[in-house]
Amino acid sequence: MERFDVAVVGLGAMGSMAAWRLASRGARVIGFDRYDPPHTMGSSHGQSRIIRSAYYEGPGYVPLVRESFSLWRALEEESGESILTMTGALMIGPPDSELVSGSLLSAREWGLEHEVLQPADVDRRFPRYRLGDDEIAVYDIAAGFVRPEKAVAAALARARELGAEVHKRTAAEHVKAGAVRAEGRTWQAGHIIVCAGAWNATGLAPGLDMQLAVTRQCMVWFRPRTPALHTPEAAPVFVHGTTGDAIHAYGFPSVDGETVKIGVSSESAPQHPDRIDRTVNKADLDGAARYVKMALPDLDPTPVRSVVCLQENSPDRHFVVGPLEPGITVLAGFSGHGFKFAPVIGDIAADLALEGHTARPIEQFEPHRFAKAPQA
Ligand SMILES: Cc1cc2nc3c(=O)[nH]c(=O)nc-3n(C[C@H](O)[C@H](O)[C@H](O)COP(=O)(O)OP(=O)(O)OC[C@H]3O[C@@H](n4cnc5c(N)ncnc54)[C@H](O)[C@@H]3O)c2cc1C
């Protein structure tokens, strides 16, 4: 029976990058996806994803995002696709919010280029935004957005050119060390990487449930009245946490020259990925329109497009990356902020699969940390 060095289960953001990085190192790779990536059924669609450096979620992420920037540029060079656009980022909220204080902590700890802007500064320099009187913005310079569909397609195409075997529309049913079972057949591989996104916790591999929870999120597009205020040159990407975290929203400049995408994070109840309602409803649209009226008044608050996206959350909202058991690496729990890191996570997966260890700082993502945590 044919034997591969590494099998990659799930070829979305993380799996496509893992396949590319593994194939770049000369490994014999086989990959499986239940759909035909890039697609709109998982977590990696919708035209744009923010990449930012002054990471409010923790300074430990900063070295990884730095490496990601170089790997995004490498993927652009190898594929000839334009994937990364630099715009800067505004991290907006009250001074003592996690968003603002966490961004400043990372910026100061790593000496990252940034400015602290008062509402009047933002009004003058980036006039599409309206800040509340009690809010400030951390302007993170090394930031922008990546194009998720192009990124996944480019990484998969490169992986194939470098010899990877890709099985689309082939759902893995079960994974154990040395073998993947899919569509009634078993494939042998020296190492297995499980990165099935929202489907990680559906019985794919023993020990992979670890309280990963899938929630439903919506992205909504609006039309600007003054397009010049929303170009990538004029409008940094942003993340906005209002007082008491009543709203956590984010958005982009216009990527298509006609519309602007925003998202208002929702804390919906966790659901099985196959049972999530994929229709955008009136409440979703009303929430986004309310936010636009408050914070981006140049946008016409009538939505022109919308889509549902699945988010896979870990209990502490930090990633789950590392050995699940000997011979199996898991890349999971990206909790709504993983895309920017996808190429470096893919390269870390290649380290773990081919070398058995990595020099990158992934201790914070240890997969078994939840099992070890004392019960509340
Ligand atoms: C609305 C929204 C906005 C976001 N915004 C940002 C942002 O601005 N910046 C940022 O950095 N991150 C952002 N994220 C997070 C980021 O998009 C995700 O962390 C990332 O896309 C997760 O990638 P993944 O590879 O884990 O999942 P996916 O890309 O969904 O890939 C999983 C793949 O596994 C396949 N699969 C599932 N089951 C099987 C099986 N049994 N066999 C084979 N294949 C299988 C699926 O078909 C899918 O292709 C956002 C997420 C959401 C939902």
Side-chain angles (χ1 to χ4, degrees), residues 8-16 32-37 39 41-45 48-52 55 146 148 152 167 170-174 182 195-200 202 204 215-219 250 252 261 263 307-312 319 331-342:
V8 181
V9 175
L11 296 170
M14 305 304 159
S16 63
F32 304 92
D33 200 284
R34 62 190 292 151
Y35 297 112
D36 187 350
H39 57 75
M41 299 301 285
S43 307
S44 299
H45 55 281
S48 49
R49 288 290 185 273
I50 292 175
I51 180 164
R52 51 193 162 80
Y55 220 65
V146 289
V152 168
H167 293 253
T170 308
E173 288 137 25
H174 188 71
C195 41
W199 289 265
N200 278 323
T202 54
L204 202 48
T215 60
R216 172 185 176 281
Q217 305 290 336
C218 292
M219 296 177 271
Y250 59 89
F252 298 81
K261 183 181 91 174
V307 69
V308 168
C309 192
L310 308 191
Q311 184 170 309
E312 183 213 14
F319 304 163
L331 314 176
F334 292 99
S335 308
H337 62 114
F339 201 93
K340 62 184 78 60
F341 299 97

Side-chain angles (χ1 to χ4, degrees), residues 307-355:
V307 69
V308 168
C309 192
L310 308 191
Q311 184 170 309
E312 183 213 14
N313 301 309
S314 77
D316 61 7
R317 301 290 172 118
H318 293 293
F319 304 163
V320 175
V321 171
L324 186 64
E325 60 175 86
I328 303 183
T329 290
V330 59
L331 314 176
F334 292 99
S335 308
H337 62 114
F339 201 93
K340 62 184 78 60
F341 299 97
V344 74
I345 296 291
D347 210 54
I348 287 168
D351 285 345
L352 296 173
L354 303 178
E355 318 288 337

